[in-house]
Amino acid sequence: MTQMPGGRMDQRRLKHVLLWGVATLLGVTLVGAASVVISGWLLAGVEEANGGRREAVERSAVGDYFGGVSAVFSGLALLLLVFTLLFQQRELRLQREELNLQRQELIASRQELRRSARADLRALHVQLTEMAMNDAALAGVWNDYPDEPHEVVRQHLFANLTFGHFLLFYEWGEISEEELLEYARTLLRSPLFQRYWEASRRGKEGLSPDSHEGRLFRIFEQAVRDIQGRGTPSTP
């Protein structure tokens, strides 16, 4: 599955912010180093122009009055740097939150696509079953219930559709296992559904116990045991 264009834009934007931050720190470092070098050079020039260090020191006392202004500008530069770092941190946090939201939307979209595909597959299964129910020659192709009259095969196919109906609801989380157990008890009170269950039990016993269909099979088996425990005979 291709990556969303918005995700690529966010990655480029994140790289741009990081590069800009590194460039800012590098610039501040270079400016500081240059200031030290230039200050030394200017100090030597001032001393030479004013006839020596003593004369330069006396005259530089006047410049001390302007040191406060220099401190103010230095403080402003420091505040600007702190503000820049805080802004970058905020941008990175927003980027992470946005990427997390996009990831969640992508997961939800995949789940919805999978659910839609299963619904389409279920609709195709219903259509094929209806064709087999209406035509004995087509029902013989599946050979699920050999040596059974077509009327019984039709009943078995319809019962299997009913089982698949509850399986779909179970997979989508629309029904609890307690509700399924109650529905299974109701269905298994029908002699026709009991006959279908006995005919299809062997094929369902091999289902994976971790699959939805395997868990639904065990729920129906529990319903069978409940009914038999109450003295309701099952149809062989």
Side-chain angles (χ1 to χ4, degrees), residues 84 96 146 197 234:
T84 301
R96 287 194 297 268
W197 192 253
S234 59

Side-chain angles (χ1 to χ4, degrees), residues 197-218:
W197 192 253
E198 292 296 332
S200 61
R201 173 182 280 123
R202 181 174 299 178
K204 291 181 171 58
E205 286 177 345
L207 294 171
S208 171
D210 296 328
S211 65
H212 285 92
E213 190 171 1
R215 291 196 294 268
L216 185 60
F217 169 74
R218 293 197 300 273

Side-chain angles (χ1 to χ4, degrees), residues 43 46-61:
L43 181 59
V46 169
E47 290 178 355
E48 183 179 355
N50 288 278
R53 179 180 296 272
R54 181 177 179 181
E55 186 70 20
V57 169
E58 292 177 354
R59 293 186 179 184
S60 66

Side-chain angles (χ1 to χ4, degrees), residues 71-210:
V72 171
F73 281 104
S74 298
L76 290 176
L78 180 61
L79 290 176
L80 179 61
L81 178 60
V82 172
F83 174 78
T84 301
L85 294 176
L86 292 176
F87 177 77
Q88 290 178 354
Q89 184 180 9
R90 178 178 176 274
E91 286 293 319
L92 290 175
R93 187 181 72 253
L94 293 176
Q95 289 289 338
R96 287 194 297 268
E97 293 176 355
E98 187 175 355
L99 289 174
N100 186 41
L101 290 176
Q102 290 181 356
R103 189 181 300 108
Q104 292 177 358
E105 291 177 357
L106 182 61
I107 293 174
S109 177
R110 288 177 177 175
Q111 291 176 346
E112 186 62 29
L113 288 174
R114 188 180 296 109
R115 182 171 178 171
S116 177
R118 291 188 66 86
D120 292 340
L121 185 62
R122 175 64 181 168
L124 178 60
H125 177 259
V126 171
Q127 182 179 1
L128 292 174
T129 303
E130 289 177 346
M131 294 173 63
M133 291 172 63
N134 296 327
D135 191 334
L138 297 180
V141 174
W142 284 1
N143 197 32
D144 289 336
Y145 312 104
D147 304 326
E148 293 281 2
H150 183 57
E151 187 66 22
V152 174
V153 172
R154 293 182 63 187
Q155 293 170 352
H156 287 351
L157 292 175
F158 182 79
N160 186 65
L161 283 180
T162 304
F163 180 82
H165 171 76
F166 287 109
L167 174 61
L168 191 63
F169 271 85
Y170 186 36
E171 290 177 345
W172 288 358
E174 301 292 338
I175 189 171
S176 66
E177 293 189 357
E178 291 76 13
E179 292 173 322
L180 281 172
L181 183 59
E182 188 60 35
Y183 282 121
R185 289 168 181 161
T186 302
L187 286 172
L188 286 164
R189 291 189 181 96
S190 166
L192 297 180
F193 193 89
Q194 289 181 16
R195 185 172 183 176
Y196 153 76
W197 192 253
E198 292 296 332
S200 61
R201 173 182 280 123
R202 181 174 299 178
K204 291 181 171 58
E205 286 177 345
L207 294 171
S208 171
D210 296 328

